[in-house]
Amino acid sequence: MGKDKYENEELLKYGFPEDIWFHVDKLSSAHVYLRLPPGSVDLAGVKDKAEAKQRLLDAIASVPEEILAEMAQLTKENSIEGCKAAQCDIVYTPFLNLKKEDHMEVGQVGFKEESFRTLMRNVAKDKDVVKKLEKTRVEKQVDLAKEKEQRDNEERARRRKIIEERKKAEKEEAKRHAEEKELQSYAALQHLEKTTNAGVSKTGSIEECRQIEEDFM
């Protein structure tokens, strides 16, 4: 959560794909982020926009209702106007749906797709939830750029590992298939030899062998 518009701007610059952004709708407030576990929003290999949107929706759907309710309380409580209102609406959307344009003021942001945001209507203050969350508040200086760089490095390493494991599995499958094909060929050859030699020799005597040779000449 950004403590002012300048921190909000930094968070917009260095957010993670796994982040979900919360804000009081139509009022000024802190930008509050819920960070999902690494790999929750894996868009590697996505072929089209529809598939990407579905993966983002699946990631949001994985968040328990209790956590969404807590995020709404945090967001309302950290809005000068919102915390005074009996009720207010809270909007949330994937970080990847946020759009920052040059003409916007510091800390201001829009949406790539308005339809790809969710409104929590008429959120009233829950004093018990707010009190519980305040007890867990941690304030610290964070190098957002370095944190983002570390995340990207870890994500690249994770994807490399997945690709390596996939290639290894494909190689092993190809080897198994080749071995099966070789065994099938060997079995067919053995059957052919048995069929070809069946009934050719009865006694194995020298005379019979000479007769066989003469028959082939």
Side-chain angles (χ1 to χ4, degrees):
M1 179 171 62
K3 67 181 181 181
D4 54 35
K5 64 181 182 180
Y6 299 104
E7 279 197 355
N8 287 341
E9 188 72 18
E10 290 297 293
L11 288 169
L12 289 170
K13 195 182 299 182
Y14 299 112
F16 290 13
E18 294 86 4
D19 290 346
I20 301 176
W21 176 91
F22 290 75
H23 197 275
V24 174
D25 192 40
K26 298 178 181 178
L27 296 176
S28 64
S29 79
H31 292 204
V32 186
Y33 290 79
L34 175 64
R35 181 155 291 170
L36 302 183
S40 299
V41 181
D42 188 358
L43 300 181
V46 170
K47 298 178 181 178
D48 53 45
K49 190 174 182 180
E51 184 180 354
K53 287 179 68 174
Q54 187 57 54
R55 291 198 185 185
L56 289 171
L57 287 171
D58 291 343
I60 292 177
S62 71
V63 181
E65 288 294 327
E66 180 185 357
I67 300 299
L68 291 175
E70 289 180 352
M71 292 300 296
Q73 290 298 319
L74 270 177
T75 307
K76 175 176 168 57
E77 187 67 14
N78 287 278
S79 167
I80 295 175
E81 297 175 81
C83 70
K84 296 176 182 177
Q87 295 180 333
C88 66
D89 295 342
I90 305 295
V91 60
Y92 65 92
T93 193
F95 172 76
L96 294 177
N97 189 42
L98 299 180
K99 178 176 67 175
K100 180 70 179 182
E101 297 180 337
D102 293 339
H103 65 82
M104 292 179 173
E105 296 181 4
V106 175
Q108 186 180 8
V109 69
F111 306 102
K112 295 173 184 175
E113 289 191 31
E114 289 284 336
S115 61
F116 202 48
R117 63 191 194 117
T118 303
L119 271 180
M120 302 175 71
R121 298 281 188 181
N122 304 320
V123 176
K125 182 173 182 175
D126 187 324
K127 293 181 180 179
D128 292 335
V129 171
V130 172
K131 186 177 180 181
K132 182 181 73 172
L133 292 174
E134 282 298 324
K135 290 181 178 178
T136 65
R137 178 190 288 268
V138 174
E139 293 190 23
K140 58 182 179 180
Q141 292 294 322
V142 179
D143 187 332
L144 296 175
K146 186 176 180 179
E147 188 178 59
K148 180 65 165 28
E149 182 181 7
Q150 181 181 345
R151 178 264 170 204
D152 289 346
N153 289 336
E154 290 173 353
E155 177 63 14
R156 280 191 287 268
R158 185 183 71 84
R159 291 188 180 183
R160 279 196 301 268
K161 185 178 179 181
I162 291 174
I163 292 172
E164 289 171 0
E165 290 175 350
R166 185 183 300 129
K167 286 182 177 179
K168 182 180 178 181
E170 290 173 351
K171 187 176 180 180
E172 290 175 351
E173 176 63 20
K175 181 180 178 182
R176 185 183 65 80
H177 182 70
E179 289 174 348
E180 287 180 353
K181 189 175 181 181
E182 185 178 356
L183 286 173
Q184 290 171 357
S185 299
Y186 180 68
L189 180 61
Q190 282 187 320
H191 177 71
L192 179 62
E193 289 176 348
K194 289 178 181 179
T195 304
T196 304
N197 293 330
V200 171
S201 176
K202 295 181 176 62
T203 65
S205 65
I206 294 175
E207 290 76 12
E208 187 178 36
C209 289
R210 285 176 180 171
Q211 183 62 46
I212 294 171
E213 290 174 356
E214 289 174 2
D215 289 341
F216 278 100
M217 293 178 66

